[in-house]
Amino acid sequence: MLNIILMGPPGAGKGTHATWIEKQYQIPHISTGDMFREAMASGSELGNKVKDIINRGDLVSDELTCALVKERLSKPDCAAGYLLDGFPRTIPQAEALEKMGKEISRPVTLVVNISCPDEELIKRIGGRRVCPKCGASFNVNSMKPKVEGICDECGAELIQRKDDNEASLRIRLENYYKSTQPLLDFYKERDLLADFDGMLGKEKLKVVITELLDSKK
Ligand code: AMP
């Protein structure tokens, strides 16, 4: 069973790899960041609650985030596997996920971590452009769309995320090292962690991640 968490600092390539994993293995891609951005775009109560927090690069509360994930993971399409991207990000979230995984009989079976040095993350985030409609991610320097400014997947106009600026990124990286990186030990202790080098490049990484996921199917 592929009940996967995709981990890594902002800009490591989680969204990029989630896109092909979702298609190749037919499992839903659950990105808490995308869910929050959708809520913000629709102007819902949740969106208004999290807007300022997200734009300045801080983390949304564990309580709100865990409730959102529990509801999503309980849906029927997660019965045959799921791919979590951007969750968990704190130890309390990982503990809550462990508990809900048992409750709904959908425990995490694998954690794929993509690491990447800060200089590279800063470079990538500066050039990142995303599709507000389908969530696909591109880069004006290294992963250009076929037509400038247009999403290859769905044809929508690409945008730069509001939190992809220097000040927010600094806070996001601080939060990553303080709150999220300790999760690597949490999952290593549970023998679930597989570590990959984000500097390998998209195609090579795809090959090695595929090898691993095929062995776990
Ligand atoms: P991402 O698209 O994963 O980079 O997430 C964008 C932003 O959404 C983050 O910087 C946080 O503000 C918020 N966010 C996403 N996932 C979580 C999470 N698991 N816990 C807290 N905040 C989150």
Side-chain angles (χ1 to χ4, degrees):
M1 179 70 78
L2 294 177
N3 293 345
I4 309 170
I5 300 172
L6 197 51
M7 276 190 60
K14 296 188 296 294
T16 299
H17 291 286
T19 305
W20 68 260
I21 294 173
E22 175 181 36
K23 278 192 198 143
Q24 196 160 303
Y25 295 94
Q26 297 286 303
I27 51 176
H29 169 205
I30 302 169
S31 155
T32 39
D34 283 348
M35 288 161 92
F36 286 135
R37 278 184 290 276
E38 275 159 28
M40 291 194 288
S42 73
S44 68
E45 200 187 321
L46 173 68
N48 289 331
K49 238 186 232 175
V50 301
K51 194 168 69 188
D52 292 341
I53 302 171
I54 291 183
N55 286 343
R56 68 171 179 262
D58 269 326
L59 291 177
V60 176
S61 74
D62 290 335
E63 200 188 346
L64 255 184
T65 312
C66 291
L68 194 71
V69 171
K70 187 168 186 188
E71 195 195 336
R72 181 66 189 87
L73 279 189
S74 304
K75 295 205 167 149
D77 65 336
C78 294
Y82 55 79
L83 177 65
L84 281 169
D85 159 9
F87 180 92
R89 256 177 161 95
T90 65
I91 293 280
Q93 288 182 13
E95 287 167 349
L97 176 61
E98 197 163 51
K99 190 162 165 259
M100 75 177 85
K102 280 186 192 139
E103 278 167 17
I104 60 175
S105 303
R106 293 174 186 178
V108 170
T109 56
L110 180 66
V111 178
V112 171
N113 180 56
I114 305 175
S115 52
C116 201
D118 281 4
E119 315 82 76
E120 177 69 14
L121 299 172
I122 293 163
K123 208 166 81 190
R124 288 188 192 176
I125 293 272
R128 175 154 75 179
R129 300 292 180 272
V130 296
C131 175
K133 206 167 146 214
C134 74
S137 190
F138 301 87
N139 194 291
V140 293
N141 306 309
S142 53
M143 249 178 20
K144 293 182 185 169
K146 288 183 190 117
V147 180
E148 196 186 322
I150 301 295
C151 176
D152 287 355
E153 307 288 328
C154 73
E157 203 164 320
L158 300 176
I159 57 158
Q160 184 163 31
R161 272 169 54 170
K162 260 209 175 125
D163 58 345
D164 277 353
N165 62 68
E166 242 183 271
S168 298
L169 179 60
R170 200 167 346 104
I171 297 174
R172 283 155 70 201
L173 281 174
E174 270 172 31
N175 282 331
Y176 172 76
Y177 288 114
K178 194 173 102 216
S179 306
T180 311
Q181 208 182 35
L183 294 184
L184 298 181
D185 280 337
F186 181 96
Y187 287 115
K188 207 187 277 174
E189 278 164 21
R190 285 154 178 78
D191 213 14
L192 291 171
L193 184 71
D195 232 330
F196 293 94
D197 178 2
M199 294 300 281
L200 269 183
K202 185 184 168 187
E203 292 311 317
K204 279 197 187 139
L205 254 181
K206 190 172 170 180
V207 172
V208 285
I209 294 176
T210 296
E211 256 169 35
L212 174 70
L213 299 194
D214 284 350
S215 75
K216 303 275 180 187
K217 265 197 292 192

